[in-house]
Amino acid sequence: MAYKYSTTTMKKVFSMMSLLVMLNFCMTSCSKDDVDLGSFDYPTDELFGKWNASVIHVKGSLRWIVVSEYPRYSMSITFNRDGTFSGEGYLGNGSGTYRLHGKTITTYIDGKVYATYTVNDLSSSIADITLTMGGESIDMTVYKSSR
């Protein structure tokens, strides 16, 4: 019985297959999906995406502001699966990282706490939150973009 391939060719094929298996193992082991965001009292998948302010209320004020009627107050934040966020609008534009703990989302820019979001209620498309920045708090209803 004669072999169609030489021993050298078979060694090369085996080496290539071994390399591919190792590469596949490394790619799945080092995936960004493995980022530890912390523990969250709500389903984490509902958090991911872009959230837009709909109604805001500054603590101590009697007035609720409907953002669509006062566009200068528009703001949004996007939470990504890899532990990063980006925000834009009334409170500024920027990006950083975030961590979850219980009902709280803490955002960081350059390793320093930027803002804290307390999630009072969350569904797949709407949330009631309290945003705290620099000792001031704002209650908001936000909705998730369908993009």
Side-chain angles (χ1 to χ4, degrees), residues 60-134:
S61 167
L62 298 176
R63 190 165 165 218
W64 286 85
I65 298 170
V66 178
V67 174
S68 62
E69 294 174 11
Y70 297 92
R72 71 175 179 259
Y73 294 111
S74 68
M75 62 185 106
S76 66
I77 189 166
T78 302
F79 292 104
N80 303 305
R81 292 181 183 276
D82 66 356
T84 62
F85 80 93
S86 60
E88 60 187 25
Y90 182 69
L91 298 176
N93 301 326
S95 61
T97 59
Y98 69 92
R99 296 277 302 155
L100 306 172
H101 182 73
K103 295 180 183 282
T104 304
I105 305 165
T106 305
T107 58
Y108 301 88
I109 295 180
D110 296 327
K112 296 180 182 172
V113 173
Y114 178 69
T116 303
Y117 298 82
T118 302
V119 181
N120 304 311
D121 190 32
L122 173 67
S123 73
S124 60
S125 62
I126 195 164
D128 289 319
I129 63 171
T130 302
L131 165 64
T132 304
M133 287 179 70

